[in-house]
């Protein structure tokens, strides 16, 4: 129960911080800042994990939780509401809170982010098990699985940091199309070309992880931009979180798919098809804000 409450708090902070920065930050550099924000969560996990690995006893490490509490108090006292939000509050309320355009953009956001989450977590969480299945019988695979997870984490962080620069250079639509094509193509290469473990898997994993990270960083700026200020927090929250319910359900079917398809590689390849769904949603439905 305590874990659930902490996750609810973290999820709310991540969403609201993303929406707030999308409103107050100048358009130039906004995508870069939101890309950096997107990777702060895994950076925090890696940092605290490193502390717990031997530098600080785990009970003492919990005292770090005082820092966000103090920051939250300072934000409550010092941080102003965004000027865009304040202006929107003064404008007459429309007869309908959600216009047809808003509903269409919401469907686009849910489709894109939900498909990416299914592809990301369906493959990401099972890659270490897939690596183990490629090793000779009796080999523990601890080193191989550990290095693979490190590459997934580091690739995701680097990709998130690069996402903003790519959006500013290529535009949001082109960045998303290239990213989802990279995710799908990288997964196909990884899962179709390897029947036994070899060092090339490390390079291919890093390639896939890089595009995974770019996708998360890019969507952190793209999804809020779909909506006007008056509904941005609500619509972005729905887009970011509806897909999580489908993801949590879909990942449970990996075991069944492994038995039916004859191996982890084929099962994970099926999940990577979700990136093609996201690509199609961007190609057919996504229209960047002018």
């Amino acid at each position: 129960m305590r874990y659930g409450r902490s996750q609810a708090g973290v999820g709310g902070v991540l969403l609201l911080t993303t929406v707030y920065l999308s409103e107050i930050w100048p358009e130039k550099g906004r995508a870069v800042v939101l890309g950096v924000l997107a990777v702060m969560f895994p950076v925090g996990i890696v940092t605290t994990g490193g502390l717990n690995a031997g530098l600080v006893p785990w009970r003492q490490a919990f005292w770090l939780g005082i820092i966000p509490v103090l920051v939250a108090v300072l934000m409550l006292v010092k941080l102003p509401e965004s000027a865009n939000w304040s202006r929107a509050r003064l404008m007459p309320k429309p007869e309908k809170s959600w216009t047809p355009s808003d509903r269409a953009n919401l469907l686009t956001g849910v489709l894109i982010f939900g498909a990416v989450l299914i592809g990301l977590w369906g493959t990401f969480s099972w890659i270490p098990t897939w690596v183990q299945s490629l090793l000779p019988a009796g080999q523990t695979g601890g080193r191989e699985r550990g290095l693979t997870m490190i590459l997934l984490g580091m690739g995701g962080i680097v990709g998130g940091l690069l996402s903003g620069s790519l959006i500013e250079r290529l535009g949001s639509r082109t960045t998303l199309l290239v990213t989802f094509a990279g995710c799908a193509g990288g997964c196909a290469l990884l899962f179709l070309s390897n029947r036994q473990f070899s060092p090339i898997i490390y390079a291919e994993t890093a390639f896939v992880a890089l595009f995974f990270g770019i996708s998360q960083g890019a969507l952190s700026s793209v999804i809020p931009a779909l909506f006007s200020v008056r509904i941005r927090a609500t619509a972005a929250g729905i887009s970011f979180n509806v897909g999580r319910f489908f993801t949590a359900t879909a990942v449970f079917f990996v075991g069944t798919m492994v038995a039916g398809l004859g191996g982890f590689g084929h099962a994970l390849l099926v999940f990577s098809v979700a990136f093609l769904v996201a690509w199609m949603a961007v190609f057919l439905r996504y229209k960047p804000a002018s």
Side-chain angles (χ1 to χ4, degrees):
M1 181 67 71
R2 292 175 182 174
Y3 177 77
R5 289 198 294 266
S6 68
Q7 286 294 90
V10 170
V13 169
L14 286 173
L15 168 64
L16 293 176
T17 304
T18 300
V19 172
Y20 184 75
L21 285 178
S22 71
E23 292 181 6
I24 68 168
W25 208 272
E27 185 174 356
K28 183 176 176 59
R30 183 185 301 161
V32 175
V33 170
L34 290 173
V36 172
L37 174 66
V39 303
M40 287 299 102
F41 186 58
V43 166
I45 292 175
V46 172
T47 302
T48 53
L51 291 174
N52 189 43
L55 298 176
V56 179
W58 68 270
R59 292 183 184 275
Q60 301 301 319
F62 273 104
W63 286 105
L64 292 172
I66 293 177
I67 296 175
V69 173
L70 296 176
V71 172
V73 173
L74 289 175
M75 291 171 64
L76 181 65
V77 175
K78 297 291 186 180
L79 202 63
E81 294 290 352
S82 72
N84 290 332
W85 183 85
S86 299
R87 284 195 296 269
R89 295 279 291 179
L90 296 175
M91 296 176 64
K93 292 185 178 179
E95 294 183 5
K96 294 183 177 180
S97 298
W98 291 74
T99 66
S101 177
D102 292 332
R103 289 193 289 270
N105 284 339
L106 180 63
L107 178 58
T108 299
V110 169
L111 278 174
I112 295 173
F113 200 82
V116 170
L117 277 184
I118 290 174
L120 177 63
W121 289 108
T123 55
F124 186 95
S125 57
W126 286 90
I127 282 178
T129 307
W130 170 73
V131 167
Q132 181 68 54
S133 71
L134 299 180
L135 294 170
Q139 189 168 335
T140 60
R143 179 177 180 274
E144 290 81 2
R145 286 184 282 110
L147 287 174
T148 300
M149 288 303 297
I150 290 173
L151 288 170
L152 286 170
M154 295 305 298
I157 291 171
V158 173
L161 295 175
L162 291 175
S163 62
S165 298
L166 289 174
I167 288 177
E168 291 193 343
R169 182 179 294 271
L170 303 177
S172 55
R173 189 172 188 271
T174 301
T175 297
L176 291 178
L177 291 174
V178 171
T179 298
F180 298 152
C183 289
C187 286
L189 176 66
L190 182 62
F191 299 130
L192 289 178
S193 65
N194 295 286
R195 293 292 180 268
Q196 58 184 7
F197 188 85
S198 66
I200 192 65
I201 287 179
Y202 293 135
E204 293 173 356
T205 299
F207 178 82
V208 170
L210 183 67
F211 281 100
F212 283 176
I214 294 172
S215 73
Q216 295 303 288
L219 289 174
S220 293
S221 62
V222 167
I223 297 297
L226 289 172
F227 310 104
S228 61
V229 173
R230 62 185 173 80
I231 63 166
R232 180 171 291 157
T234 299
I238 294 172
S239 299
F240 285 151
N241 291 292
V242 166
R244 299 184 193 279
F245 292 102
F246 295 106
T247 303
T249 303
V251 170
F252 283 116
F253 289 97
V254 171
T256 303
M257 294 172 66
V258 168
L261 297 174
F264 277 100
H266 293 134
L268 298 185
L269 188 63
V270 169
F271 272 95
S272 67
V273 172
F275 295 119
L276 296 179
V277 174
W279 191 95
M280 290 297 296
V282 172
F283 185 77
L284 296 175
R285 300 186 58 88
Y286 176 62
K287 296 179 181 179
S290 56

